[in-house]
Amino acid sequence: QVQLVESGGGLVQAGGSLRLSCAASGRTASSYTMAWFRQAPGKEREFVAIIFAGGGSTFYADTVRGRFTIPRDNAKNAVYLQMNSLKPEDTAVYYCAADRPPHYGPTRPSEYDYWGQGTQVTVSS
């Protein structure tokens, strides 16, 4: 079991940056693959970024690659989503998710057993 608490959302101007935090409890975050998803009104929940358990390999959606990173701080049992060069299209509720290996579809929301409460990110033009 793992509990996820998200923070760091807010309002930012296009081109700016935000850093989202996902703090894990119950089990160490490094024991789980952790991912960020986002959902805009009227749209499907979509994959953003992932950091895999074990070696810590990362993978990003094409829409955010080069702008977002997903660092992990094992000492704080947390993962982050560092968002740079934000665009209005990035506006969404962002969710942290966790799943224990093995994985069969790690970019699909249905893969994940544990979810944070979501945090709103709004990017103004």
Side-chain angles (χ1 to χ4, degrees):
Q1 298 289 317
V2 61
Q3 296 79 48
L4 307 176
V5 179
E6 301 166 345
S7 62
L11 175 64
V12 65
Q13 193 173 73
S17 298
L18 282 175
R19 187 177 180 89
L20 306 183
S21 175
C22 177
S25 62
R27 299 289 178 91
T28 60
S30 61
S31 298
Y32 288 79
T33 289
M34 303 189 72
W36 289 95
F37 292 80
R38 65 188 183 187
Q39 188 166 20
K43 298 187 68 178
E44 297 282 325
R45 189 167 296 187
E46 66 174 353
F47 168 77
V48 176
I50 189 170
I51 184 163
F52 290 94
S57 298
T58 59
F59 179 73
Y60 301 90
D62 290 343
T63 51
V64 307
R65 187 175 294 112
R67 299 188 297 121
F68 293 9
T69 58
I70 183 170
R72 170 184 279 159
D73 188 337
N74 290 330
K76 295 182 178 179
N77 202 29
V79 296
Y80 306 89
L81 186 66
Q82 179 64 49
M83 304 183 292
N84 300 321
S85 301
L86 282 161
K87 304 174 181 179
E89 308 95 276
D90 296 318
T91 295
V93 176
Y94 283 70
Y95 297 91
C96 181
D99 186 54
R100 193 171 184 176
H103 313 293
Y104 303 101
T107 66
R108 296 183 292 184
S110 60
E111 176 75 20
Y112 294 86
D113 296 322
Y114 306 103
W115 292 86
Q117 79 281 5
T119 185
Q120 176 72 47
V121 172
T122 302
V123 184
S124 61
S125 60

